[in-house]
Every structure is written in C-alpha cells, then in structure tokens.
C-alpha cells in the first residue's frame, strides 16, 4: 500500500491509499477519484514529504552504539585486569591447583598466582575453602 497526498482543482487536500503507483495512475486517468469536500473529479497528486521512520532508525542506531560502547569498555576492563594480574602475580601454568593448595596449607610462601585449572580442579579447590576466581582472559591463542 502507498499513501499519496491529493489535491483537487479547488485546492482541497486529502489523502488517498492505493495498492501501488500504477493503481493511482489508472484511477486518476479513468476519472475514478473525487474530492471528498467538493466532489470534483479533477484530482492530482499534491506535494508531500516522505514519511521516514527516523525515530525508530535513530533509536536502533543509538542502541547499536551503546552495545559497541559496552563491548569496548568490557574489553578494556578485561585487558586492565589481565595487565594487573600479570604484573603482580606469578604464572604457575598448569600447576595452578597444586600451587594454590601449597599456599593455602602453608607449604610455600603466600603470593598471588595465576594459571590454568580444569573445572573439576577449580571445584575441588573451592570445596577445600581455597579462594579462586576464573578470569575472563582475552587470549587469542585459546579456542575456548
């Protein structure tokens, strides 16, 4: 459906809905259109501004910008966390669970460490009362 602003020979303006532009052309050529005010069939298209959905498009663009900003802020925060951990803690690699237990039970000096642990190892550490946290590493070399 298409909406046209119409105008009669007496300058009365009104709207008309048509299936398409060709339908309007056929009705206008056949004299099938008439002014609802004066009844004349001398009717044509009037100047009209296009109807744009700018407010919806603007809202969608703003939402996309907000999502991009949140993503960028999150990535920056993760990068800063990683920088702080790597600067202030020791990377013990795959021996994380073992080293965390040694520190917790006083078998080695207390220090900040980071490394890798399986989910099972992490659950066991938590069950033992050892405080551990998974970090949202942004590591391009890892697949998951």
């Amino acid at each position: 459906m298409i909406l046209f602003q119409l105008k009669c020979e007496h300058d009365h303006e009104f709207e008309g809905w048509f299936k398409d532009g060709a339908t309007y052309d056929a009705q206008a050529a056949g004299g099938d259109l008439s002014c609802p005010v004066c009844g004349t069939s001398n009717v044509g298209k009037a100047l009209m501004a296009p109807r744009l959905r700018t407010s919806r498009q603007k809202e969608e663009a703003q939402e996309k910008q907000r999502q991009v900003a949140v993503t960028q802020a999150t990535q920056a925060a993760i990068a800063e966390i990683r920088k702080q951990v790597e600067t202030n803690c020791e990377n013990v690699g795959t021996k994380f669970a073992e080293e965390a237990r040694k520190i917790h039970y006083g078998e080695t000096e207390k220090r900040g460490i980071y490394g890798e642990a399986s989910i099972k190892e992490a659950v066991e550490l938590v069950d033992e009362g050892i405080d551990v946290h998974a970090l949202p590493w942004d590591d391009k070399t890892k697949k998951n």
Side-chain angles (χ1 to χ4, degrees):
M1 295 292 289
I2 187 167
L3 174 69
F4 288 126
Q5 186 70 24
L6 304 175
K7 185 176 182 179
C8 78
E9 63 185 332
H10 301 291
D11 290 331
H12 300 128
E13 290 196 24
F14 55 98
E15 295 179 339
W17 286 94
F18 300 90
K19 180 180 175 184
D20 52 31
T23 302
Y24 163 80
D25 292 338
Q27 289 182 8
D32 297 330
L33 301 176
S34 62
C35 175
V37 177
C38 66
T40 183
S41 61
N42 189 3
V43 174
K45 291 182 190 175
L47 289 176
M48 58 186 273
R51 292 190 181 206
L52 302 175
R53 295 185 183 190
T54 56
S55 62
R56 183 173 184 184
Q57 291 170 344
K58 185 176 180 181
E59 288 174 12
E60 289 172 355
Q62 288 173 337
E63 176 61 17
K64 184 170 180 136
Q65 286 177 335
R66 188 193 68 76
Q67 289 174 357
V68 167
V70 168
T71 299
Q72 290 173 340
T74 301
Q75 290 171 339
I78 290 169
E80 182 59 27
I81 290 169
R82 182 177 188 151
K83 178 182 171 189
Q84 291 297 321
V85 169
E86 288 177 339
T87 300
N88 298 302
C89 301
E90 178 186 343
N91 184 354
V92 294
T94 58
K95 296 185 182 208
F96 178 81
E98 179 183 334
E99 284 297 312
R101 282 189 180 92
K102 287 180 183 178
I103 292 169
H104 180 74
Y105 294 113
E107 298 171 12
T108 189
E109 78 273 7
K110 191 171 188 173
R111 67 197 190 282
I113 62 170
Y114 70 99
E116 298 177 31
S118 68
I119 293 174
K120 180 182 176 196
E121 289 172 323
V123 168
E124 289 171 351
L125 291 171
V126 170
D127 288 345
E128 291 178 47
I130 301 171
D131 195 20
V132 297
H133 300 280
L135 298 175
W137 244 221
D138 185 18
D139 191 344
K140 306 293 188 230
T141 64
K142 301 289 182 185
K143 296 291 183 199
N144 55 5

